[in-house]
Amino acid sequence: MKAGIYLGKEKVKIQELPLPEVGDYDVLIQNIYSSICGTDVAVFMHGPNTGHKVNVGGEFGHETISRIVKVGKEVKDFKVGDRVYPYPLYAKDDTSRAGTLGGFSEYILVPNAKKNHSLFQVDKRISDKLASLIEPFTVGCRGARRGMIPSGQGYFKGTKCGCFWQWNDWYCCSGCF
């Protein structure tokens, strides 16, 4: 399989890796679309330890929508063909790999796959391209929730990307996408 490997500041290389072996409780997913996180850009431009936990030599990328291509014999919650969002913090069953999930690789092995923990099924009404933005959308929602700005009480403006939130609505300039 082809995999985007992070090699340090301004260095990412597509390498050929063996297709992962699926264990009894594992799921193998094939990436359909991956988006590029601001953290990916920071780590690429400035080197390790400037964003997510991205290790030199690790598979790069974590904002992805995927399709299940193989399930272990003990897996009951998923089937081949399901579209899923792999949650970056838990999909590799190793929280130190949050930024090196493998979103820029053809396949990701999800060990000990758990429904609504490491993998979330994606409704068929959501397009693949839109689903690849689930991760940045959840980060924005979390930020808005943590800001606890009451409706009608003011606004928050994000100066770097041109997005702002006002009275329970998000507005973004075309530069955000």
Side-chain angles (χ1 to χ4, degrees), residues 3-8 11-15 17 56-60 104-105:
I5 305 297
Y6 178 70
L7 299 174
K11 295 178 188 161
V12 175
K13 184 177 181 182
I14 302 299
Q15 295 183 350
L17 298 178
V56 173
E59 292 179 70
F60 203 30
F104 302 145
S105 298

Side-chain angles (χ1 to χ4, degrees), residues 11 16 18 24 26-27 33 45 47 59 80 98 105 110 115 148-149 156 162 173:
K11 295 178 188 161
E16 193 67 36
D24 291 348
D26 304 341
V27 169
Y33 280 102
M45 297 298 293
E59 292 179 70
V80 171
S105 298
V110 181
K115 186 175 183 177
M148 308 250 327
I149 302 169
F156 168 79
C173 68

Side-chain angles (χ1 to χ4, degrees), residues 126-140:
I126 301 172
S127 73
D128 291 338
K129 286 182 181 179
L130 186 59
S132 74
L133 298 173
I134 289 172
E135 173 65 12
F137 178 76
T138 60
V139 169

Side-chain angles (χ1 to χ4, degrees), residues 40-166:
D40 296 334
V41 174
V43 171
F44 178 79
M45 297 298 293
H46 305 292
N49 302 314
T50 58
H52 258 302
K53 303 167 187 173
V54 178
N55 305 318
V56 173
E59 292 179 70
F60 203 30
H62 60 273
E63 296 180 353
T64 187
I65 176 69
S66 307
R67 187 172 317 283
I68 294 176
V69 294
K70 191 170 185 181
V71 296
K73 65 182 179 181
E74 298 297 326
V75 174
K76 307 294 183 219
D77 290 333
F78 303 103
K79 64 183 184 311
V80 171
D82 286 348
R83 281 188 327 143
V84 292
Y85 156 68
Y87 182 54
L89 194 58
Y90 299 126
K92 292 306 262 181
D93 210 19
D94 178 0
T95 57
S96 71
R97 292 203 47 192
T100 54
L101 175 63
F104 302 145
S105 298
E106 285 184 279
Y107 298 91
I108 298 172
L109 178 68
V110 181
N112 301 308
K114 294 178 186 84
K115 186 175 183 177
N116 299 330
H117 179 75
S118 53
L119 291 173
F120 291 79
Q121 291 182 318
V122 178
D123 190 285
K124 63 183 175 187
R125 294 173 294 179
I126 301 172
S127 73
D128 291 338
K129 286 182 181 179
L130 186 59
S132 74
L133 298 173
I134 289 172
E135 173 65 12
F137 178 76
T138 60
V139 169
C141 289
R142 182 172 187 252
R145 250 191 347 266
R146 290 183 81 186
M148 308 250 327
I149 302 169
S151 179
Q153 298 293 316
Y155 66 93
F156 168 79
K157 181 178 180 189
T159 57
K160 289 195 176 191
C161 75
C163 289
F164 67 92
W165 176 86
Q166 185 173 5

